[in-house]
Amino acid sequence: MTLIGERPRATEHSIDWHRTSGRSAERSGAERRTPALVAISHGTNSADGQAAIAALVEAVALAHPELAVISGFVDVQQPDVAASLGAVPPDSAAVVVPLLLSAGYHVHVDLQRETSEHDRVTAVSRALGPDERLIDVLEHRLRADGFDKRVRGQEIVLAAAGSSDARAVHDCRTVGALLEQRLGVRVTVGFLSAATPRLACAVTGARLRSEHVTVSTYLMAPGFFFDLTRAQSVGAELVTAPLLLPGETAPAPLVDVVLDRYLEAKEQAQIF
């Protein structure tokens, strides 16, 4: 397995990656063939969420029809990571792209374990966020749902899933800062689990400071966490939709992020 690290921070000076399974640096036939893109999402019991994620994977495949694109899930749904890697042609390497907005336990632990146990040359890309193109999608959702940044006395609360991994929490706060910079409106971040402040508390605090509060949903698709977002947004005047919705074409900026993560991981792992 080759692991591609996340976005470097001030205290990090290089990308952490290595090759396992005792393979030599000499290129094998699997490495010379264009690697498959294995898109791994979290998984959900929501039919709407499943359809929305499937549309993103389809859009990625349509954008590059010469590329083998295989989907899978790290939890809840099947096929799991092992089965998805098993579906890759035997003579092909694979680049796993987590369809996750921040790099928490699933990226740093689950995907590392699952890929290292598979007998295939494999790279794992970093998570999708932070990225300015995700801000494009968040801004689009805000405008589509009626948000107007010209209204005075308002604040946005960015609703994120949350994680016990400090790196994932930092990534979400970075997205909040980027959204604030883009819109010129104060943005705070509220988490649905594991991290603080919890979304309900963040909405309450924003309401005490501002006349108008909007919750910007920083989630991939409908499902359990989006239902929780709406339940914990009491006091907000507006709750936006997730980045992906069933029945809609996946946003082009999000498709581009997925493809760029693939290319970045493939290049840095030197899998060609």
Side-chain angles (χ1 to χ4, degrees):
M1 175 191 74
T2 304
L3 172 65
I4 301 303
E6 58 188 353
R7 183 185 300 274
R9 307 198 191 286
T11 58
E12 297 172 347
H13 303 286
S14 63
I15 292 178
D16 176 25
W17 62 277
H18 59 279
R19 189 176 301 280
T20 63
S21 303
R23 294 183 174 88
S24 68
E26 184 179 354
R27 300 277 170 78
S28 68
E31 291 174 297
R32 288 192 296 270
R33 177 170 175 164
T34 301
L37 189 161
V38 182
I40 299 294
S41 60
H42 181 276
T44 177
N45 288 320
S46 165
D48 284 346
Q50 292 173 7
I53 293 293
L56 173 61
V57 175
E58 181 181 9
V60 171
L62 288 173
H64 282 272
E66 78 287 355
L67 182 64
V69 179
I70 297 167
S71 64
F73 309 92
V74 75
D75 199 1
V76 183
Q77 290 178 253
Q78 293 293 323
D80 60 15
V81 178
S84 298
L85 287 172
V88 175
D91 59 344
S92 177
V95 175
V96 172
V97 179
L99 302 185
L100 303 171
L101 296 175
S102 57
Y105 185 88
H106 288 312
V107 173
H108 292 298
V109 178
D110 288 336
L111 288 179
Q112 291 187 47
R113 181 184 65 251
E114 294 284 353
T115 54
S116 66
E117 293 174 351
H118 204 280
D119 187 21
R120 182 185 301 281
V121 177
T122 306
V124 180
S125 83
R126 58 190 174 97
L128 302 184
D131 194 287
E132 284 281 357
R133 289 164 292 187
L134 299 181
I135 309 304
D136 294 341
V137 183
L138 287 170
E139 184 178 11
H140 170 75
R141 290 297 181 209
L142 282 162
R143 296 187 186 284
D145 287 335
F147 175 81
D148 185 349
K149 68 179 183 179
R150 296 171 297 180
V151 175
R152 302 186 63 175
Q154 62 179 326
E155 184 171 335
I156 294 172
V157 178
L158 186 73
S163 173
S164 57
D165 190 311
R167 293 166 291 188
V169 173
H170 180 276
D171 285 348
C172 292
R173 296 195 192 282
T174 298
V175 170
L178 290 172
L179 185 61
E180 178 173 299
Q181 183 180 32
R182 172 76 64 88
L183 297 176
V185 175
R186 177 171 178 166
V187 177
T188 57
V189 182
F191 298 96
L192 295 159
S193 67
T196 57
R198 292 301 173 90
L199 178 59
C201 294
V203 171
T204 298
R207 193 66 182 177
L208 292 173
R209 292 186 297 268
S210 307
E211 297 178 30
H212 308 286
V213 177
T214 294
V215 172
S216 177
T217 302
Y218 188 52
L219 300 171
M220 285 293 288
F224 173 78
F225 278 115
F226 183 51
D227 293 341
L228 200 57
T229 297
R230 289 184 290 195
Q232 292 192 10
S233 296
V234 176
E237 295 177 331
L238 176 65
V239 178
T240 67
L243 303 188
L244 297 169
L245 285 176
E248 289 189 4
T249 301
L254 191 51
V255 174
D256 289 343
V257 173
V258 173
L259 290 167
D260 280 355
R261 294 294 180 265
Y262 165 84
L263 293 172
E264 175 187 70
K266 182 170 74 75
E267 179 179 354
Q268 294 192 40
Q270 298 183 9
I271 301 176
F272 299 103

